[in-house]
Amino acid sequence: MTNPDLRDMLQTHGLKATFQRITILDYLMTHETHPTADMIHMDLKEISLATIYNTLEKLVDVGLVIVIDTQKDDKRHYDYYGEPHYHIINNHTNEIIDADNFDVAPLFEAARQASGLNITGFHIEIYGVDPDEAK
């Protein structure tokens, strides 16, 4: 995505398009590693760690980025949420895998019927282990 596109995206979500926000959002869009703030800072040393944390929280608040809290490392991992998908987390290796291979519409409808709310989004984490390691 180009800088003007990122600027528009941030502005559409009510955020000023600062250098830091554009840089961090671009980083998350181009790195599918589900990084922590510290990992992002290792690659973007020109942005202070405090600014990275603050920017990530703003991006989460407006729904552009989601937080994945894994059980193994107790760290917050971040992911750009441009396309609906869910995460599968390997309990042994802590690997986070993106997946989008099922239709969430029936889940949304079931949630709407159960709650009476209009469902606006979702965040699903599925945990598992390698079958050979589970024995």
Side-chain angles (χ1 to χ4, degrees):
M1 219 174 232
T2 65
N3 273 357
D5 292 335
L6 292 174
R7 284 181 196 285
D8 289 346
M9 185 184 299
L10 288 165
Q11 290 169 347
T12 298
H13 284 83
L15 296 175
K16 288 176 77 174
T18 64
F19 166 79
Q20 293 88 345
R21 289 176 183 161
I22 290 169
T23 302
I24 292 169
L25 184 57
D26 181 62
Y27 182 92
L28 289 171
M29 292 173 82
T30 57
H31 291 76
E32 296 179 4
T33 57
H34 307 98
T36 64
D38 289 328
M39 293 165 70
I40 295 169
H41 185 249
M42 286 174 35
D43 289 337
L44 303 177
K45 293 188 186 317
E46 69 276 13
I47 302 174
S48 75
L49 185 56
T51 298
I52 289 173
Y53 274 109
N54 291 334
T55 299
L56 288 169
E57 289 309 308
K58 290 242 187 257
L59 295 173
V60 168
D61 288 346
V62 300
L64 285 171
V65 171
I66 60 171
V67 176
I68 305 164
D69 289 320
T70 64
Q71 296 174 344
K72 187 167 182 161
D73 68 0
D74 292 323
K75 294 182 180 175
R76 295 176 66 137
H77 294 260
Y78 296 89
D79 191 21
Y80 169 65
Y81 199 65
E83 295 292 325
H85 63 279
Y86 66 99
H87 297 99
I88 305 165
I89 301 170
N90 184 318
N91 285 336
H92 288 261
T93 65
N94 211 38
E95 177 185 14
I96 302 169
I97 303 161
D98 286 329
D100 62 358
N101 59 343
F102 74 88
D103 179 11
V104 296
L107 176 62
F108 281 9
E109 181 56 23
R112 188 193 63 71
Q113 287 181 10
S115 67
L117 298 174
N118 288 329
I119 306 306
T120 60
F122 72 100
H123 183 143
I124 300 172
E125 295 173 9
I126 299 172
Y127 295 84
V129 296
D130 185 299
D132 294 333
E133 295 176 13
K135 295 178 183 175

